Amino acid sequence: MLESKERTVKFNYLMVIIFLALSLAAVGIFGSQGRFYSANDLKFHLARIAELVHDLRFHDSFLSPLSFTFFKGTGTAVQIFYPNLTLLPFAFLQLLIKQPIVALYMMLALYSWVGCCLSYFLMLRFTKQNQLQSGLFAVIYNFSLYHTTDLFIRFDLGEWLAMIFLPLVFYGGYQVLAGKWNEWKFGAIGLALVGYSHVLTFALSIGIIMVGWLIGWLLRRPTDLRNRLIAAIKMLGSTFLLTFFEFYPLVRLSLLNNIHFPTRYNLLVSPNGKLPDLNSFLATALSNQLTKNLGIILLLILIGELIMWRMVPQLYRWSWILLVLLVICTTTFFPWQSFQRTPLAVIQFPWRLLTIASFFLALSGSWLFATLFGLITQRWRIKGEKWWGLILVLVVMLPTLSAELLTLNQDKRTDQLVNFNRKSVGTHYWITDQEYQKFVKVSSNTDYYPIKAYSARNSILKRKILTTKGKLRMSVTKFEHNQMTIELISKSAQTANLPWIKYQGINYQLSVNGRHQQLKTSKRGTFLVKLKRGKNKVSLKVNAFTGQFLAEVITVVGSTCLLL
């Protein structure tokens, strides 16, 4: 018995090492040449990381940061509307390593490894120590084609990070449904980590969990519904406490300002092409490329489990059914045109549902491959089945690695070193450490501007100072200790309209030459400042939100109670 337990522990250690090797391999395919290739949201998220690096280096707050260094230094609140907590490790590593591209790839590999380990040990807990199925689940999920596409094609870093923690959410949510009430803590921690990564995935996760509870309880009609409801309330209530400091400033700014939110796209036509029909989706899956799809492994799992349907346990039947439904919902087969003017349109792109589909893909696939492997080894009396199981874990990784290699070869032929002499960076490029700082400076996101500022975004992004008596040039700016400082030389006493966005609900303190001035807002939603003739040292101090300290206390108390 003791020997068996030691073998189990050794196998777990070996699996952890394999996860590290696979994470390094998946990231190393693109990172081995020291380049990062063009991706949809690359500039945006790298600028967010660069802003956090600056905040850490110059003692600025990262709990409710305004961007006075990157995003053209306009003081935009984009960092408030996009959670930052899971981005902080990227910033810390960039402080330690002076090669930002190397640091970026290292942290991506580390997060991939953490995601694999998290999925593996959760599945071990769920399956009561089925190591092979747990290893298969970890690899299929964390290296699913959509998850990899999210990173190297879209570079939707927030969604990619949120997906790492989704197994915690679904594990805790399922156990509440199944009656293991004490496991709600896993769901609360998972939802909080998703909330620290990506708001839309957070909302989607809560919606799916609540709908799942409702349908499950209606179908099963449990006698102990009261205890399950209490566990569900604990899970959602703890999530509220854990994320309060993150969402409080977001909600406050949204209520106090007329915010320009991201465009609601036509659900059938995303910026990168039309939503595919069902036949096109399946054909793309067969081609197994890095795109908004689940690849050839999807077809193998769907067909394989259908053939073995009589053997499939009820849980995995439901997983298969949900996988099919979610795949259908990412195609034109689902009537998305009827939901264009409903709250569901906030999803922007129906293929976001592949984040959830990837989970059910891994759940179904891990059972299918582990069961087939067990049947084969039993029939042919194969010895050393654990070692053959490790090979199977490596084999299920091959579709993703081959898709990465195919994409990399295409990028090598079409991409070129980023050229800053052009009016725009373009869509086919790569960057190295040498171009990194200049590259992140070009990000000019205008989402989450107040409507007034959004209407005048061109002049704000060009950092124009508007005056009534001649032009003023924007001097070199310095943002340290949450204070923006510039020096302006005026030929006469006048009022200047600075290109810094003013948000209602944020506590600013404006001073000129050490004297405080009353806060006034210009017609373009920026700060007005009175200048005297000659040299003017203008400082804008950003203080804590009203209620921010209370929000932080609530989160700390909630976290402490959850730990205890």
Side-chain angles (χ1 to χ4, degrees):
M1 184 71 177
L2 184 62
E3 184 182 351
S4 176
K5 191 173 288 187
E6 286 180 358
R7 285 182 180 178
T8 299
V9 172
K10 287 180 180 178
F11 188 87
N12 288 343
Y13 281 130
L14 184 58
M15 194 67 79
V16 167
I17 294 170
I18 287 175
F19 292 151
L20 180 59
L22 291 178
S23 299
L24 292 171
V27 171
I29 285 176
F30 284 93
S32 59
Q33 298 187 41
R35 305 169 176 172
F36 211 101
Y37 290 86
S38 53
N40 299 349
D41 293 334
L42 185 63
K43 290 193 295 291
F44 174 70
H45 289 294
L46 291 189
R48 290 179 61 210
I49 294 171
E51 191 78 51
L52 287 175
V53 172
H54 184 276
D55 292 340
L56 292 168
R57 183 173 288 152
F58 295 101
H59 312 288
D60 300 320
S61 171
F62 56 83
L63 289 174
S64 55
L66 296 177
S67 298
F68 280 105
T69 307
F70 297 90
F71 299 108
K72 302 298 182 181
T74 61
T76 174
V78 65
Q79 292 280 70
I80 293 175
F81 287 88
Y82 279 83
N84 289 317
L85 213 58
T86 52
L87 282 188
L88 278 173
F90 289 92
F92 281 122
L93 192 58
Q94 283 197 17
L95 284 175
L96 297 174
I97 299 176
K98 303 306 178 183
Q99 297 172 284
I101 295 294
V102 174
L104 177 64
Y105 276 119
M106 286 178 63
M107 188 51 63
L108 293 175
L110 181 60
Y111 261 121
S112 292
W113 177 68
V114 168
C116 287
C117 294
L118 180 64
S119 299
Y120 177 72
F121 287 106
L122 273 176
M123 200 64 179
L124 274 182
R125 189 181 182 93
F126 183 72
T127 59
K128 298 178 181 178
Q129 302 302 311
N130 188 327
Q131 292 172 306
L132 177 59
Q133 184 178 349
S134 300
L136 289 167
F137 173 82
V139 172
I140 295 172
Y141 177 71
N142 286 280
F143 300 109
S144 73
L145 218 60
Y146 181 75
H147 200 195
T148 309
T149 298
D150 239 4
L151 184 60
F152 294 115
I153 303 299
R154 299 183 62 225
F155 202 73
D156 192 339
L157 192 55
E159 186 175 272
W160 183 81
L161 289 167
M163 281 187 69
I164 289 172
F165 307 113
L166 277 180
L168 276 167
V169 176
F170 289 116
Y171 174 82
Y174 176 79
Q175 296 296 25
V176 169
L177 177 66
K180 293 186 177 180
W181 310 304
N182 288 334
E183 303 287 80
W184 63 264
K185 294 183 282 291
F186 289 93
I189 293 169
L191 279 172
L193 289 169
V194 170
Y196 298 155
S197 306
H198 195 242
V199 173
L200 197 52
T201 306
F202 176 77
L204 191 62
S205 302
I206 289 180
I208 288 174
I209 286 293
M210 293 184 72
V211 170
W213 283 340
L214 180 62
I215 295 173
W217 290 336
L218 288 175
L219 291 176
R220 299 176 68 173
R221 297 187 180 278
T223 55
D224 54 353
L225 182 60
R226 178 177 175 274
N227 288 328
R228 298 175 201 235
L229 281 173
I230 291 173
I233 291 170
K234 284 181 178 179
M235 177 174 157
L236 296 178
S238 297
T239 301
F240 173 79
L241 293 175
L242 291 172
T243 57
F244 191 73
F245 82 98
E246 184 78 62
F247 291 112
Y248 170 75
L250 184 155
V251 173
R252 180 175 172 82
L253 284 192
S254 298
L255 294 175
L256 295 178
N257 297 269
N258 189 8
I259 297 291
H260 170 76
F261 287 99
T263 305
R264 283 196 177 190
Y265 295 100
N266 185 330
L267 291 171
L268 296 174
V269 184
S270 75
N272 298 316
K274 294 181 179 179
L275 200 65
D277 57 38
L278 194 54
N279 289 334
S280 299
F281 184 93
L282 296 175
T284 304
L286 193 60
S287 66
N288 201 64
Q289 300 178 30
L290 284 190
T291 185
K292 296 175 282 290
N293 204 290
L294 293 174
I296 196 168
I297 198 168
L298 168 69
L299 303 180
L300 294 175
I301 291 169
L302 291 181
I303 295 170
E305 198 161 312
L306 193 59
I307 292 172
M308 299 178 62
W309 192 256
R310 290 185 179 180
M311 294 180 59
V312 180
Q314 186 180 27
L315 172 66
Y316 299 103
R317 286 187 180 187
W318 276 111
S319 176
W320 187 92
I321 291 168
L322 289 170
L323 175 60
V324 171
L325 291 175
L326 286 165
V327 165
I328 288 173
C329 287
T330 60
T331 69
T332 54
F333 190 87
F334 186 81
W336 283 108
Q337 62 273 13
S338 303
F339 294 89
Q340 188 64 49
R341 298 185 180 276
T342 68
L344 196 60
V346 73
I347 196 174
Q348 291 182 311
F349 318 120
W351 35 259
R352 282 190 192 276
L353 293 174
L354 291 175
T355 57
I356 312 299
S358 296
F359 175 83
F360 293 111
L361 176 83
L363 192 61
S364 298
S366 62
W367 176 87
L368 174 67
F369 294 141
T371 302
L372 284 173
F373 179 81
L375 292 173
I376 292 170
T377 54
Q378 186 178 5
R379 182 178 180 84
W380 296 98
R381 297 178 182 178
I382 298 174
K383 295 182 179 180
E385 63 273 9
K386 282 203 170 185
W387 296 105
W388 286 106
L390 291 176
I391 293 174
L392 178 60
V393 169
L394 297 175
V395 167
V396 298
M397 180 73 177
L398 292 179
T400 296
L401 293 179
S402 64
E404 284 191 45
L405 287 168
L406 178 63
T407 301
L408 179 64
N409 289 330
Q410 291 173 346
D411 287 343
K412 280 183 178 179
R413 290 195 299 269
T414 59
D415 289 16
Q416 57 186 338
L417 186 65
V418 63
N419 186 349
F420 293 104
N421 294 323
R422 298 178 179 177
K423 289 184 178 179
S424 62
V425 170
T427 56
H428 296 286
Y429 59 85
W430 73 68
I431 59 170
T432 63
D433 289 318
Q434 287 70 35
E435 294 82 33
Y436 186 89
Q437 291 301 328
K438 198 171 181 181
F439 177 75
V440 293
K441 288 282 187 180
V442 302
S443 184
S444 56
N445 182 76
T446 54
D447 288 335
Y448 308 108
Y449 276 30
I451 291 297
K452 278 185 179 181
Y454 182 76
S455 300
R457 61 190 179 280
N458 291 331
S459 66
I460 292 174
L461 288 174
K462 291 176 182 176
R463 308 186 78 187
K464 288 184 177 180
I465 300 176
L466 307 181
T467 63
T468 54
K469 300 178 181 179
K471 295 182 180 180
L472 287 176
R473 294 182 62 185
M474 174 66 79
S475 69
V476 176
T477 59
K478 183 172 68 173
F479 187 58
E480 297 177 7
H481 299 281
N482 301 309
Q483 182 167 296
M484 185 68 157
T485 306
I486 60 172
E487 289 186 355
L488 299 176
I489 298 176
S490 179
K491 294 181 179 180
S492 60
Q494 60 179 323
T495 299
N497 179 339
L498 301 177
W500 297 338
I501 299 169
K502 182 177 182 295
Y503 288 90
Q504 298 296 327
I506 294 180
N507 295 323
Y508 299 98
Q509 193 175 70
L510 182 67
S511 62
V512 179
N513 298 323
R515 293 186 176 183
H516 295 313
Q517 288 196 6
Q518 184 180 357
L519 298 178
K520 292 186 178 180
T521 310
S522 71
K523 289 183 179 180
R524 59 176 183 166
T526 56
F527 287 91
L528 291 174
V529 60
K530 293 180 180 179
L531 304 176
K532 68 173 188 177
R533 184 179 179 182
K535 187 176 181 180
N536 297 266
K537 185 178 180 181
V538 181
S539 298
L540 183 66
K541 178 80 173 178
V542 183
N543 299 310
F545 281 96
T546 302
Q548 182 175 322
F549 178 72
L550 178 61
E552 293 167 14
V553 168
I554 289 173
T555 295
V556 170
V557 171
S559 304
T560 304
C561 292
L562 188 62
L563 288 171
L564 293 175

